[in-house]
Amino acid sequence: MTKRIGVIGTPGKWSTETLADAFAERSGYRQVIDMGKAMLDLEKGQLICDGVDLCQLDGLVLKKVAEDYSPDALDRLEMLRVVEAAGVRVFSPAENVIRLMDRLACTVTLRNAGIPMPKTVITEDVDAARGALGRFGAAVFKPLFSTKARGMVLLDAEAPDADAQIAAFKAANPVMYVQQKADLSGEDLGMVFLNGEYICTYARVSQSGAWNTTIHSGGKYAPFDPSPELIELGRRAQAPFGLTFTTVDIALTPEGPIVFEVSAFGGYSGAQKGCGIDAAALVAAHVLAEVSR
């Protein structure tokens, strides 16, 4: 019997379409779901998108719940909890992903698990943020909801306009997440896991001299061969979140490796371009095996 697995993502985007293709090749069923078009009818117990009741599918895979991270995206995940209550498996589970989309929730979980991270201060107080910047020397001010370094601001404690820049950041971000700038030596790592098992590691290498290495800022993917100790760090970092597919962002600094965050949806493009791994095929095979049990 054909298993009907829907892919929640962004129609037309490479990773979403590649994942949908992988399911179509294995099951004969292909459905891309844009949660921006979904309607939840609680009385009927239906979540309808493009004429399909998601509560009637065999499973859903989360590739991207919204194009941009925001509190509104959390509401889309809450809607998926109704689908789960109807007996549909969601990969990764909605409640687990909710704990990752807010940068602060992810950070607190990592620190509570004893994972090494950059020095970080979270505050709503401008004076406290200025004091943290003074201690750190240079710091990245990060929105609580963002990906690919969008909205992040690198500040230097000695900059003459530092106070004005903090005030401007505060105006857009009432809760300020202030993280000491790490020495990335021009690259950081994406360590890929499927169902808690290590798959591969790719590097993001800066090409433009930008302070961050994201592909959005001109970085390029490259292969990387991590030590067993580094793989174990990545494994410990992703373990508390219970995700189906994820990438752990790691940097190698003069003081040792540090973890920035754990991805809610994983790096399909990085696995492909950096490691030559077809992550979509691996995820599709895993999910279909799970829903066929």
Side-chain angles (χ1 to χ4, degrees):
M1 181 178 176
T2 297
K3 295 297 182 181
R4 298 188 304 157
I5 309 297
V7 174
I8 295 174
T10 305
K13 287 297 183 73
W14 176 84
S15 55
T16 296
E17 300 294 344
T18 298
L19 190 54
D21 287 343
F23 280 102
E25 290 169 10
R26 288 159 179 78
S27 70
Y29 183 83
R30 190 184 198 280
Q31 183 70 47
V32 172
I33 297 155
D34 178 357
M35 284 298 292
K37 297 180 178 180
M39 179 197 70
L40 176 62
D41 189 325
L42 288 173
E43 182 181 3
K44 295 180 179 179
Q46 295 178 329
L47 181 59
I48 305 293
C49 187
D50 292 331
V52 177
D53 182 2
L54 306 189
C55 295
Q56 299 301 314
L57 296 181
D58 295 296
L60 291 167
V61 175
L62 285 173
K63 176 55 195 79
K64 183 80 76 173
V65 75
E67 189 59 25
D68 297 309
Y69 284 13
S70 71
D72 294 335
L74 297 180
D75 294 331
R76 295 181 178 183
L77 289 166
E78 293 291 350
M79 292 167 73
L80 291 175
R81 294 178 59 208
V82 174
V83 177
E84 291 175 320
V88 179
R89 296 280 300 278
V90 178
F91 304 87
S92 301
E95 194 165 337
N96 297 10
V97 175
I98 287 171
R99 301 299 302 160
L100 274 166
M101 294 197 71
D102 182 330
R103 176 169 279 108
L104 180 54
C106 177
T107 296
V108 169
T109 299
L110 288 171
R111 288 309 299 258
N112 285 350
I115 302 300
M117 300 186 71
K119 295 177 181 178
T120 305
V121 167
I122 297 95
T123 183
E124 297 180 46
D125 184 82
V126 170
D127 291 337
R130 187 64 173 94
L133 177 61
R135 295 201 313 274
F136 296 159
V140 182
F141 283 61
K142 300 183 176 183
L144 294 186
F145 294 89
S146 74
T147 60
K148 298 180 174 61
R150 294 185 181 95
M152 296 184 186
V153 180
L154 174 63
L155 297 185
D156 189 299
E158 302 301 322
D161 63 343
D163 290 343
Q165 290 194 66
I166 292 174
F169 185 84
K170 164 72 173 178
N173 303 275
V175 178
M176 293 175 286
Y177 182 108
V178 185
Q179 193 164 75
Q180 185 176 40
K181 181 180 181 296
D183 178 6
L184 301 183
S185 301
E187 71 174 18
D188 71 344
L189 310 176
M191 188 172 289
V192 183
F193 290 86
L194 173 61
N195 198 38
E197 296 299 319
Y198 172 72
I199 301 298
C200 67
T201 300
Y202 57 85
R204 287 173 293 246
V205 183
S206 176
Q207 303 289 305
S208 61
W211 64 268
N212 69 80
T213 62
T214 65
I215 305 306
H216 181 71
S217 298
K220 300 295 181 183
Y221 293 119
F224 187 89
D225 185 19
S227 66
E229 293 78 14
L230 197 61
I231 293 173
E232 181 58 26
L233 172 61
R235 193 187 316 279
R236 288 198 298 115
Q238 59 84 43
F241 298 100
L243 302 171
T244 302
F245 181 71
T246 188
T247 302
V248 182
D249 288 346
I250 300 176
L252 303 179
T253 76
E255 293 75 34
I258 54 175
V259 173
F260 285 115
E261 62 186 16
V262 175
S263 168
F265 306 109
Y268 289 80
S269 182
Q272 179 70 56
K273 296 177 181 178
C275 308
I277 298 289
D278 186 351
L282 296 178
V283 170
H286 169 74
V287 169
L288 287 168
E290 285 292 306
V291 299
S292 298
R293 290 181 187 275

